[in-house]
Structures are given as structure tokens and as C-alpha cells.
Amino acid sequence: MGAVKNGQKTIRLVDVTLRDAHQCLWATRMTTAMMADLAPRLDRAGFEAIDLVGGAVFDVCVRYLREDPWERMRILSTWVKNTPLIVMTRGQSLFTFEFFPDDIVELTAQRIFANGIRYHTPYDALNDMRNMAVPVRAAKKCGLYTAGGVVYTLSPVHTDDYYARKTRELIKLGVDAVYIKDPSGLLTPERAHTLVPALKAACGALPLHLHSHCLTGLAPYTAIRAAELGVDVVHTATSTLANGASHPATESFVHNARRDGFTVPLDLTPVAEVAERLRYIAAREGKPVGHIAEHDAFHYEHQMPGGMVSNLKSQLAPLGIAHRLPDVLEEAARVRHDLGYPIIVSPFAQFVMTQAVLNVMGKERYATVPDEVRKYVLGYYGEIAGPIDPNLFDRIAKGAAPTTARPGDLIEPGIPRVRRERGPFASDDDLLLAAFYSDGQYQALKAAGPIKTDYPLASTPLVTLLKEIALRPGIRSFHIIKRPALAA
């Protein structure tokens, strides 16, 4: 069990508002400027850590927002002075879908630390802990507190014993904590009843986290049950950007946990301030707020994240085949079974969905197979959890030999090549950006200049901002509740 204070178990929280919450609900479009008035308040609340950059956030910063993600780390490190900031990586894949050489992975850990980050949460999408060895070792060598992830899914092969074994493998690498990463919100209270004790036993004295999404509507309740069963840290989002495809709401989780007898060392006053400011930003930018998702039994079969489903629908519509979406999702469940139950998380969610679309739209299943699916089947991304039918394997592999090597061992060192082909660079941060992105993306980012931080929230009284919402189309009623703590 976790820390005990005054006879009560203490549950700590990690805030995901500035990364995963807007990744889920705003297509990752929260700018650094929007964070200026939010981050210091989250810093005062007492979270164990604040999630900031990782996965799609790094990628969208470069490709769409034209904000240097390294600069975002440096800026937020000046705004958040008391709480460790988190950078999440996809293990050997880092921030994109590509696997990178060991030297690039090691340099990335060094630059994460150098840019003010102190907390690191890597995971591998296949739970192949060989893909975690270099990321964890490099992070620990730099001085980063490292919580490693085991990615949760449902399948006949992803048993409690499987997860306990993966947790023990992860702990041997030297992590400081372990977290259950439930990207599709599949964990139920019933499964938590067996899974959490198994993982807690494997963790021993190390803290166990829960990072779960609300796609099935069960995550808030499951999180409370998981805390009762031994989880020490729960990842939550400020209520405005909670629920739906996002995470349990911080405010309601704290109220429920305290009523359940837990000590939660968090001040909800600054969190309420953040929630109100986020409502203003959402209205000003035309972005959605979180809503509780209805239960969807089909979700447990295809397991696709909500954002991916909506994106696919928009892509099928111009082709006049949006009505085939249910067929594609049914096929995605079959493809996942065929391919040995890859976990539906980036990049394998994209691989499975692409193959499903090709199977549905083509004349024959697997008549066309993307290179990424072929590489997965051959073992170039790591260990495959379940069996693949030999006939299907032969059809996809087309005579190529599979590999059992650690994927990183198959990749030549990257730094000398990047320096030779794209250098010279003003900094190692720029070198890594060049390693991750094409010259066109890199040059466009550099041409954008320094990150702007002058969003109206940082200088305008809150009451004035909230009154602006009342003037916006579609707002039928508006009431200002005066709270001294909310003065700008």
C-alpha cells in the first residue's frame, strides 16, 4: 500500500491538463501562451508532478503550432517552480512513430533534463522491455525521476500474470515507479480487483500509478477502486478538460477519495481557478470541454481511441463511404486478433486502423499490406504478445526472415549521420529536431521565431474575460460567482 498518514492512506495526483487532456479533447492545440495563467496555479496545488510534453504534443508543437518543444520546456520551467514537470516518451520511438538509434535516445534524455524537466514517463507500445532499457538507463544517468509504463489492453494473452511479469522486467531496469497506462480506457473495476494487487505485489516498495482515459465512462470509478487496491498515484485532469477521451476530473476524484477515507494532499482552490480560465479559453477558441462518455460495449472490441475514430470518419466522408465506419471498426478488431493482439496505442493503433481500411475497401483481406505492418509482423518493433497464423504470416512476410533482436540493435548510430547530412547545428536541441523531422518541417519551425506567451489571460482581469464569454454566440446565460481567490 502507499504512504499512510494519521492512519489513512495518502493518494497523490499527477496533473495531465497541460499535455494529455488537451491532446485528447483539443487535438493537442493548447499553445504555450494559453498555459501562462494556468501553470503557476497548478504549481501551487500540490501535485506530485505536472505532465507537459510527450508523444503528440512534441509532434504538434513542431508541425502545426510552430513552437519549439524544447523552448516550451524551458519557459514552463520558469513558470512552474515547485512541482516537477513531466516529459513522456514512447521508449525507443521517443516522440514520433519511428524507432531511433540508441545515441539519439540517450541524447534526448540529456536534453530533457537540460531543459528543466525532472520527471520522465517512458513506455513501450508493445511492452517489450528491451525497448525500455536504453531510455530508462539514459534517463536515470541524467538524474531524471523515471516512472515506467506498462500498457494495458484486453486480449486472451494479456493476463494478470503477463502484466506482473512485464512489471518485474521493468523494475529490473531501475525505474523509480511503475504506471499502468490504459490509453483506451479499458480497465474496469472488476479487472482492477485482480490486476492492481498483482502489479502492486510485483512493485514491492515502488509506487504504482494509474493513467487511464474515460472513453468508456468507467475510469473515475475505477480509479477510486484502484486506490483501494493499492495504487499510490492517480493521473487526473482539471474538470474542464476531463472525461470523454480525457482523464478523470481532479476535483471530483479528490472529493470522492476523501469521502472514501483517503488523504489527498492537494489544494483545490487553484485547480478551480484553472478550470474557470480553461472555460474562457475553450469559449474564445471554439474548443470543446469534456463530457462524460456513455458506456459503449463495442469499444471493448475495436479499442480505438475516440479521436482516431472521429478522424477516420472525417477521412471517409469525402470518399462517400462514411457509412462504412462500423465495418472498418469491426475489421479492426479482426485485424488485431490476426496480428497477435498489438496494443491499440500509437503507433500500432494507426497500423491496425490502416490495415482495417485496406481490408474493407479492397477486394481481398491483406491483399495490400503497409510496410509498417510487415515490419511489425517480422519483429522489427519488438515482441509480439500473441500468435499469428502461419499462413497469414507467410502472406505478409513474403519470404522475409523474422528477427528476434532488440530493435535498437538493428539501427546504426544516428548522431554522426545527422551532423553530416543536416549540420552544423547551434545546439543539440536543434540536432535532435533535425533527427526527428524533415528539413522542411525543421526550417518552418525555425522561421516561426520564439514562442509567444502573451495570451490575454496573463494580463486581463478574470471577470472581464468571463464577461466576454457572455457576448459570444450560443451563450444563453452566464453567471459570475465571486470568489476572492479568483482575482487576477
Side-chain angles (χ1 to χ4, degrees), residues 90-345:
R90 298 179 181 130
Q92 201 86 24
S93 296
L94 297 173
F95 305 111
T96 71
F97 294 166
E98 180 183 350
F99 265 48
F100 289 97
D102 292 347
D103 60 346
I104 294 291
V105 174
E106 291 168 352
L107 181 60
T108 299
Q110 295 169 19
R111 297 314 302 166
I112 287 172
F113 185 88
N115 282 293
I117 305 302
R118 296 295 178 264
Y119 206 118
H120 185 38
T121 56
Y123 73 92
D124 178 68
L126 293 178
N127 287 325
D128 187 335
M129 296 310 164
R130 297 175 302 169
N131 292 332
M132 291 283 280
V134 173
V136 171
R137 183 183 68 223
K140 293 296 296 176
K141 184 177 180 180
C142 294
L144 289 164
Y145 181 93
T146 303
V150 287
V151 189
Y152 178 73
T153 190
L154 285 173
S155 87
V157 297
H158 290 90
T159 64
D160 291 352
D161 288 342
Y162 165 92
Y163 280 109
R165 172 168 56 85
K166 291 298 180 181
T167 298
R168 290 191 294 269
E169 292 175 6
L170 181 58
I171 290 170
K172 287 181 180 178
L173 299 178
V175 295
D176 299 293
V178 173
Y179 69 101
I180 304 169
K181 180 177 177 63
D182 180 19
S184 291
L186 301 170
L187 185 62
T188 63
E190 293 80 8
R191 181 65 186 277
H193 187 74
T194 61
L195 180 69
V196 172
L199 268 60
K200 188 59 182 171
C203 284
L206 294 186
L208 178 62
H209 297 217
L210 176 62
H211 177 101
S212 184
H213 293 252
C214 298
L215 286 158
T216 63
L218 289 177
Y221 178 66
T222 301
I224 291 293
R225 299 285 78 81
E228 294 173 346
L229 293 163
V231 160
D232 305 285
V233 182
V234 175
H235 298 199
T236 61
T238 305
S239 55
T240 310
L241 293 187
N243 294 302
S246 183
H247 300 258
T250 299
E251 301 93 317
S252 60
F253 178 85
V254 170
H255 291 313
N256 289 331
R258 286 174 176 166
R259 183 170 292 276
D260 206 26
F262 293 102
T263 296
V264 187
L266 196 80
D267 182 358
L268 287 177
T269 299
V271 177
E273 297 172 14
V274 170
E276 293 205 58
R277 283 158 172 80
L278 282 169
R279 283 193 287 274
Y280 167 75
I281 295 173
R284 187 176 192 270
E285 303 291 335
K287 297 186 183 299
V289 298
H291 295 285
I292 296 174
E294 293 186 7
H295 182 70
D296 178 10
F298 186 30
H299 179 74
Y300 289 93
E301 297 179 39
H302 64 75
Q303 303 186 14
M304 290 292 170
M308 179 171 289
V309 173
S310 60
N311 287 340
L312 177 63
K313 187 174 183 179
S314 67
Q315 292 164 3
L316 296 178
L319 303 176
I321 52 175
H323 64 284
R324 300 296 304 275
L325 178 62
D327 298 332
V328 172
L329 293 176
E330 292 277 6
E331 178 63 15
R334 288 192 287 270
V335 168
R336 183 169 176 264
H337 171 271
D338 293 343
L339 298 182
Y341 301 104
I343 300 173
I344 302 302
V345 65

